[in-house]
Amino acid sequence: MAQKVTIRDIAEKTGTSVTSVHRAIYGGKGISQKLREKILFEVERSNYQMDEAASMLRRRQFRITVLLPEAAGQERFYFRGLWDGIYKGTRELQKNKVEVTFVETKHGVSRMAEDLERLYDETDESLNGLVTVCDDAESSSWLQRFMKRGTRVALIDRGVEIENLCCCMEVSSRDMGNLAVHMMRFLTGREKEGMLVLINGPETRFSYRVYADTVEKRVREQLPNLEMTVLDGYDIERGPEELERLLGKGNVRGVIASCARGTYWACETLQRLQMADPPHLVGADVFEELTPFFENGILEATVYQSHREHGEKALRILYDSLVNPYAAAERTGVPAIPVGLILRENYKYYL
Amino acid sequence: MAQKVTIRDIAEKTGTSVTSVHRAIYGGKGISQKLREKILFEVERSNYQMDEAASMLRRRQFRITVLLPEAAGQERFYFRGLWDGIYKGTRELQKNKVEVTFVETKHGVSRMAEDLERLYDETDESLNGLVTVCDDAESSSWLQRFMKRGTRVALIDRGVEIENLCCCMEVSSRDMGNLAVHMMRFLTGREKEGMLVLINGPETRFSYRVYADTVEKRVREQLPNLEMTVLDGYDIERGPEELERLLGKGNVRGVIASCARGTYWACETLQRLQMADPPHLVGADVFEELTPFFENGILEATVYQSHREHGEKALRILYDSLVNPYAAAERTGVPAIPVGLILRENYKYYL
DNA sequence: GTGAAAGCGCTAACAA
DNA sequence: TTGTTAGCGCTTTCAC
């Protein structure tokens, strides 16, 4: 094995000191542009890689805050898994010098801006990283302030466009929509006539819009004899009522739900109605509350990108970019989390 | 945050030296039984956790060898993914002080014993860890020798019973079999009459025996009108011929393949025959060669536990047990790798 | 069988 | 802006 290049080798080669090398690579200030360039050139040339162990040993803790809705109410299906992933990631980081603070907000995604504002006032530039969600312009401008102050930001999906993020987890709505329709075709058969109900999240969100478009297109191709109707999965009051009304017509062959909460109330509704010949149901996500429906067959399949992995990966990427900002700059995109198809036989692996 | 307990604290509390504490925790020899117990008691009491960063900084490299069949011939479908996982795991370990040596054997799993023997003679007790497979008694006795010499052994599935292993990855044949049948029921419908062909691996192997039992039982329950026939997936000469002969009878409704190579030749056979009304095919695993069959619909689904994850995890667990033998002793079982159901829409994520 | 002491490569405090 | 230096907690060498 080739002898390891150390910060010291770089210092000697460039005729400077280890401190300068450190500053060139890592710190933002306290070094002249000229010296920095000279050092970084040598770093590049000699293919220097920081020794994380040594680095960790000496440096003081990084501080990261995770600000996400608590896993309660209708948000619980989605955010429980996400928080689990955050906790898991934190556990794995605990031997590294990081202090992760968890803030569970009370008002769901829609009022995130208030919580971001509060966090901004309660913290200062000593906050190195922030993991959160952002669904609207106001939240987005708070994130800008955090970043200007020197805090790196990692987002969990559902994003508005924002510059300079450390990372943003992406969901593959297109693949998920296609998979759901494909599965539905297996269940109903291609020739079936009647109605297909899509229970979708709010189309103000990019990912749900893509989902609906994909499903609509695919149904036309694959299930041409099914007429599609869309319900709002977030309308807990009227959604189930509407679904019940449609089911009363007697020709609903299939139900596809693209959001966790919609999947849940669709299951509940079908359970309650105890129909002789219920429609096939393909839902989204995997969470504890779905267990009985997987078991009794009301829910035949769901499509899933692990929330846990989303949370874990966001935290991990943020941490890595803090530890090694130099390498982080040239890191490639976020690796995609697999889209899974979940049935009674394998949902346990994803709980 | 509570102040961290260091090896030094333990030394002071027990009135000994840091060296002795180190030896008590880590090394096997050079310390009296009495002193070791006293120290370990204090370690326990104060909930000491080794600082991996500091540990890594000073110690010399661990040496691990991975001895597995090369990804060639019929073994390629299975072992390519496995090797990928090994490489990925190695990459992740590269900042830790480990030297991983790869040995790709030429004769597949069946003649592993010879390769183990050669490796045994070429190495000595400075080999800290070994990742391999073991399918027969002779290989098993070589592994015993390695372990007696101080090498920790991690196995990739397919195991014979062996004591004192560092770990052995397990496949969930039962869940996979059930999932395959469930999928087949979706594809054929419950009432279909005719024949179901199971292309299985050699039943001398535990996991394939379980698979066949599971499928048989489940087919009786779920697809009572299908009569099951089993073919040997490893018989590349006669397997496809046999399948073709059965297909000629005209009443084969479904084919389930439980092994990678069987899945592949089943696809090829169906492709070649260009039947007007081909049987449904549910296979196993995901690998590049299946791409065209996923795309053209010959292969409608496969059941899969990621080989890559298997390889990666085996290496990781072995390394962890080397770094921290004290904690490793009380570590719990190997976490299960999810069983996935793969269709045209999501196979890409698993390649 | 036991302990003292020298670093591993880096970061941060301090000095210039 | 730059350099010198003192450790971080551990493993290893060497002396007893």
Side-chain angles (χ1 to χ4, degrees), chain A residues 240 263-273 281 293 298:
Chain A
T263 302
Y264 184 66
W265 64 247
C267 287
E268 276 189 320
T269 305
L270 288 178
Q271 169 107 303
R272 184 160 43 78
L273 296 180
L281 174 58
F293 305 115
I298 282 182

Side-chain angles (χ1 to χ4, degrees), chain B residues 117-329:
Chain B
E117 180 175 355
R118 187 169 321 114
L119 182 69
Y120 187 84
D121 291 335
E122 286 170 357
T123 57
D124 57 29
E125 66 290 337
S126 76
L127 180 65
N128 306 98
L130 174 62
V131 178
T132 188
V133 281
C134 177
D135 217 27
D136 56 274
E138 203 183 340
S139 302
S140 167
S141 68
W142 280 107
L143 292 186
Q144 302 292 356
R145 286 189 196 99
F146 273 106
M147 290 191 284
K148 195 175 283 174
R149 206 206 231 173
T151 303
R152 298 194 65 99
V153 177
L155 287 189
I156 302 297
D157 176 51
R158 327 205 133 190
V160 171
E161 272 309 311
I162 307 179
E163 297 279 294
N164 297 322
L165 286 176
C166 161
C167 76
C168 177
M169 301 288 102
E170 309 238 325
V171 290
S172 310
S173 305
R174 198 166 303 278
D175 288 331
M176 293 203 287
N178 282 329
L179 196 52
V181 175
H182 194 156
M183 198 62 207
M184 185 54 77
R185 211 198 63 186
F186 287 150
L187 295 172
T188 62
R190 189 182 161 82
E191 303 308 328
K192 202 68 138 197
E193 297 193 4
M195 191 185 286
L196 177 77
V197 179
L198 171 64
I199 300 176
N200 199 23
E203 298 210 6
T204 46
R205 257 182 220 161
F206 181 69
S207 53
Y208 286 127
R209 216 152 54 227
V210 172
Y211 200 99
D213 288 350
T214 307
V215 168
E216 194 168 0
K217 176 158 172 269
R218 210 43 177 257
V219 166
R220 265 205 305 275
E221 289 167 26
Q222 302 272 322
L223 295 162
N225 301 326
L226 289 187
E227 184 199 346
M228 200 173 117
T229 306
V230 182
L231 294 186
D232 177 3
Y234 277 50
D235 188 345
I236 302 297
E237 299 302 318
R238 292 180 29 230
E241 275 176 35
E242 280 287 304
L243 179 61
E244 188 170 347
R245 197 179 54 79
L246 291 171
L247 292 172
K249 291 186 173 175
N251 70 336
V252 175
R253 303 302 172 203
V255 178
I256 292 179
S258 69
C259 55
R261 60 186 77 181
T263 302
Y264 184 65
W265 63 248
C267 287
E268 277 189 320
T269 305
L270 288 177
Q271 170 108 303
R272 184 161 43 79
L273 297 180
Q274 296 283 345
M275 300 165 73
D277 183 23
H280 296 285
L281 174 58
V282 174
D285 302 356
V286 182
F287 42 93
E288 272 172 34
E289 288 85 346
L290 294 182
T291 298
F293 306 114
F294 273 119
E295 290 298 336
N296 68 18
I298 282 182
L299 182 60
E300 291 182 278
T302 69
V303 170
Y304 188 44
Q305 270 186 315
S306 168
H307 306 158
R308 184 177 289 121
E309 278 190 56
H310 267 157
E312 196 180 338
K313 201 160 275 182
L315 189 57
R316 183 83 227 176
I317 291 175
L318 178 59
Y319 173 76
D320 285 346
S321 87
L322 250 25
V323 168
N324 210 337
Y326 182 65

Side-chain angles (χ1 to χ4, degrees), chain A residues 7 22 48 55 59-60:
Chain A
I7 205 175
H22 174 78
Y48 164 80
S55 163
R59 73 154 174 261
R60 60 175 186 285

